[in-house]
Amino acid sequence: MDIEQFRKAGYNAIDRICDYYYNLQSMPVKSSVSPGYLAQHIPTNPPEQGEPWQQILDDYTEHIIPGLTHWQHPSFYGYFPTACSFPGILADLLASSTPNPGFNWSCSPACTELEALMMDWAADLLGLHKEFFNSSNKGGGVIQTTASDSALVAVVAARSRYQRLHPDVLFKDLIIYTTTQTHSLGLKAGLILGIGVRAIEVDAHDKYALRGSTLRKTLEDDAADGKHPFILIATLGTTSSGASDNMPEIRNIAKDYPSLWIHVDAAWAGVVFSCPEYRDKLYHTDINEMATSFCTNFHKWGLVNFDCSAFWVRDRSLLTEALDITPPFLRTKEGDSGQVVDYRNWHLALGRRFRSLKMWFVFRTYGVDGFQGYIRRCIGLNTLFQEKINETSSLLELVTTPSLSLSVIRISPAALSPSSSSSDSTDLSTQDFMNTLNQTFYSRLSARNDIFLTQTILNGAFCIRFSIGAELTTEDDICRAVDTLIEEAKNVVEELRVKNDKTEQSIANGSVSAGV
Amino acid sequence: MDIEQFRKAGYNAIDRICDYYYNLQSMPVKSSVSPGYLAQHIPTNPPEQGEPWQQILDDYTEHIIPGLTHWQHPSFYGYFPTACSFPGILADLLASSTPNPGFNWSCSPACTELEALMMDWAADLLGLHKEFFNSSNKGGGVIQTTASDSALVAVVAARSRYQRLHPDVLFKDLIIYTTTQTHSLGLKAGLILGIGVRAIEVDAHDKYALRGSTLRKTLEDDAADGKHPFILIATLGTTSSGASDNMPEIRNIAKDYPSLWIHVDAAWAGVVFSCPEYRDKLYHTDINEMATSFCTNFHKWGLVNFDCSAFWVRDRSLLTEALDITPPFLRTKEGDSGQVVDYRNWHLALGRRFRSLKMWFVFRTYGVDGFQGYIRRCIGLNTLFQEKINETSSLLELVTTPSLSLSVIRISPAALSPSSSSSDSTDLSTQDFMNTLNQTFYSRLSARNDIFLTQTILNGAFCIRFSIGAELTTEDDICRAVDTLIEEAKNVVEELRVKNDKTEQSIANGSVSAGV
């Protein structure tokens, strides 16, 4: 493919993306392919000779697009959003055209320097403490691949610091603190590093927040038990329900445990700090004063295309002391002189892509105003969703207080009228029964291609998450989604009623006997 | 930015990339910016209001491009190449337009399925053992971010297996084996995991290959010492000199150590297996029979844009047993049924980009034939380079046998004529002296913007690497590069001669006395 062929193909690809976004709303949000579908369309070996572009692009359209779940679809309410914006695509395109492995400054000075500047823009946008800024020359920010990577880097650096401070502590006595609501990134870090993880119990009555008293008791119990907790992964906006740990109380305890690293994982919710009105209620000051490290993923709810996990530390030497390796073939004049940052020593891998270009293009295209507008619009849509759920006459209920752009719902026990609960064989008060009912509800929703939702379990209750974030989602989409939820919930309740009626009929007819 | 604005901006970006590639050869390969240059052009805060595309693109052209080191420039001979091909850019563009976090099959079935198929295409291209194919349902391939990630995953899985097999072994007694020539990824894995690394000495006489006898002795010594080596990271094509460990001998020893995981890191050289004529001399059969895992980076010498580290294991359960975590919010019908692969359990992070699209587009555009042609052309250019170096009348010398598309050179001791070595104060036979001379040589080359080279140290000798891989590099470029090397080497030797003449003159004039 020569330059002019590339130009033509590039225009084709851009047009194909435009077609995609023109058609997106009318496509099913969820792919309906079955496992193994693609092998039917793709040979088992690469072709011997090169093939023309048009054929490749046509195959992409015919075989790949139908196998995609459309995370940018207005009816995508699963997991958390994955950001995609036009300036993000354009930046990725340019970055992809001049790839370099970016492991040190001289690999391509612009990549390191723009990343340092953009992480400061982002810190400014979120109102982070000045120590987190790269310009402080003390702490700083770096783009990691995912929040799992950010947390893993924090755990590695925390372990390294702890071992320097307490060289006699045995590896087997080290322990990572999370809560039962922490994202699986905590458990995975433990698996990867071979270190135990204590998932501290949190309570539905505390809205799934870690409380100071629980933390203190756990610390004291572990100390008595010879265990050495060296990091707490605290969460702002859990995946299951958007809960946040009680940062003021944690901060208060943390003062007494100076070698406990506090990593605040705000992978999803952290971008809300761009809107000053949310700072106070989400512990902005406490996080700023307390966190050893802080992470939020601009590739989730922050308009920057995946991947872009923003990770800040209050003291950059904690990263480099844990992760710096400079063999002869990686030495440079600038690195040796200490004039520049070599980001490879701030993360796990060596190579890294030029991701800050996406942040630059997105921040400039939207402006702070546009970024805030997007965040506020999503939260507003969730408020509408809550109102609509509350209007369902107890057919559906919010399981916990909605958080920003996330709600968690289920069919309410109150939806089951006395008539449908008359059978002796069914105890509506049990969680098991409600869980089975809601699993059926979720299965029905999952079988549809016009809405995408994901499940979770809260306090033993099977629930459905409703997470808003696609830029294309409108009030009409929310209303339609609620109609769909009502329709399927009614179907489930009606099925149960019919089933119970039949059972009653059978009992009345004497056709039901013990053991049958 | 609406769809039509995006179309226009997309065409602009494509045109800008075309301009870049039309102009690339006439640009300096290396950026001449100074540390901190970009902060002078970019404000400290994001703009309050959005800005127009044209302004952003102009700033990219004006401030970012001059800060790039051009890894695709025909005169880039540093490190190892970073791949960039037009079909790779196009695939990245399309993948970036429909981002999803890809952690399980249902995130977007096409992403998981195409990755499984493309890793089989790649395995077919490289002639890997059928157990490594995803279609074997036993082993399989997965795309990791970098070779460091691939090695880290191997080490984690190896440690997990070893601990299952030997539950009583203490963590502190575990040890990772590398050689002194292994890439820093081995040391970094040790740092990250808090596990000791034994860098086994290798010898210049063995061309820096790990020999079986050395491995066996090390294993026996460590066993006697209560240490538990659980993984050997063997290298095919080291970074410093392109050396390869002696795989037949390692294979022979490994038979006696069934719980020692053998990870073959062929990050750079592995793609050469696409050309059957290189398989025998690079231990293809031994690797195929012995390796527990194998890695090669298509984003280095394999035409697929960064990042695309191809990683295969002979037994996929070794990954999932070490890394599988499935909280309720990640459960899916397809995952629960075991019908599909959920790639998150094959690597460290949770989210992952849709990178297999790049492999598909590249393999189809080039065909096997085109891929092989590229590899052979690079090796041919290195043969030309060696011939030219050998024609420099001992001004320059090859420090070790060239490997594929990599040579390592220095100014030869023979370049120093008796007259320039007559001073009593200079002992030409010392390595220190030659190192200082070659460091000066490298400094002169580094100060130029028309060639990019990197340094290394081999057996204590400071050397310069010459690594070929840019698609644009031609025979003319190689000849010009050699001319540049000769020119700067002559300058260095001439400077030395002048300096020595002055010293002799001073001695003759009696102006040099002890201590002055």
Side-chain angles (χ1 to χ4, degrees), chain A residues 418-429:
Chain A
S419 75
S420 61
S421 66
S422 58
S423 166
D424 290 342
S425 61
T426 329
D427 181 1
L428 286 183
S429 67

Side-chain angles (χ1 to χ4, degrees), chain B residues 73-349:
Chain B
H73 193 286
S75 297
F76 184 93
Y77 307 108
Y79 303 105
F80 281 131
T82 293
C84 183
S85 61
F86 288 136
I89 298 173
L90 294 166
D92 249 358
L93 167 60
L94 289 170
S96 176
S97 74
T98 60
N100 78 86
F103 45 74
N104 61 23
W105 181 86
S106 70
C107 272
S108 253
C111 301
T112 296
E113 299 212 359
L114 190 64
E115 184 159 336
L117 292 165
M118 286 308 103
M119 287 300 292
D120 279 5
W121 276 24
D124 182 76
L125 178 71
L126 307 183
L128 297 191
H129 192 290
K130 65 180 190 317
E131 284 184 349
F132 287 117
F133 283 63
N134 287 299
S135 58
S136 73
N137 284 321
K138 184 172 183 302
V142 56
I143 304 175
Q144 308 279 355
T145 304
T146 65
S148 302
D149 275 322
S150 294
L152 183 55
V153 168
V155 175
V156 168
R159 187 204 61 209
S160 173
R161 177 178 73 161
Y162 197 88
Q163 289 184 316
R164 285 194 304 277
L165 293 171
H166 310 280
D168 297 331
V169 169
L170 295 179
F171 193 92
K172 72 175 182 54
D173 292 328
L174 295 173
I175 192 162
I176 299 166
Y177 275 6
T178 68
T179 80
T180 52
Q181 292 298 305
T182 304
H183 187 272
S184 55
L185 55 75
L187 273 175
K188 188 125 184 188
L191 261 191
I192 291 167
L193 299 173
I195 296 175
V197 177
R198 171 144 359 271
I200 303 171
E201 286 290 337
V202 290
D203 202 308
H205 298 297
D206 292 323
K207 293 182 187 167
Y208 304 103
L210 175 61
R211 300 296 303 269
S213 51
T214 317
L215 176 59
R216 188 180 293 280
K217 183 163 185 329
T218 311
L219 283 160
E220 288 170 354
D221 288 353
D222 272 327
D225 205 28
K227 291 290 178 191
H228 292 262
F230 63 96
I231 186 168
L232 166 67
I233 301 176
T235 308
L236 189 84
T238 60
T239 303
S240 272
S241 68
S244 292
D245 291 326
N246 192 315
M247 303 295 174
E249 294 184 3
I250 294 172
R251 181 183 172 195
N252 194 35
I253 309 297
K255 285 176 189 155
D256 300 335
Y257 292 85
S259 51
L260 183 70
W261 181 302
I262 311 288
H263 175 64
V264 176
D265 173 35
W268 162 66
V271 292
V272 84
F273 285 151
S274 61
C275 304
E277 69 272 25
Y278 289 100
R279 292 183 183 173
D280 278 355
K281 73 177 84 164
L282 285 171
Y283 315 122
H284 189 261
T285 303
D286 295 295
I287 291 171
N288 256 339
E289 294 298 326
M290 157 184 76
T292 323
S293 55
F294 177 79
C295 167
T296 191
N297 288 349
F298 279 87
H299 67 240
K300 279 193 163 71
W301 193 23
L303 294 169
V304 182
N305 294 41
F306 187 77
D307 55 319
C308 184
S309 179
F311 175 69
W312 286 272
V313 281
R314 195 176 287 279
D315 178 356
R316 64 179 70 175
S317 73
L318 295 175
L319 299 183
T320 51
E321 281 178 32
L323 295 166
D324 189 347
I325 286 182
T326 305
F329 59 82
L330 291 182
R331 286 185 61 182
T332 63
K333 192 177 63 167
E334 296 82 6
D336 288 351
S337 73
Q339 284 180 287
V340 298
V341 161
D342 284 343
Y343 268 133
R344 74 171 179 284
N345 299 321
W346 294 40
H347 68 158
L348 304 182

Side-chain angles (χ1 to χ4, degrees), chain A residues 132-153:
Chain A
F132 287 118
F133 283 63
N134 287 299
S135 58
S136 74
N137 284 320
K138 184 172 183 301
V142 57
I143 304 175
Q144 308 279 355
T145 304
T146 64
S148 302
D149 275 323
S150 293
L152 184 55
V153 168

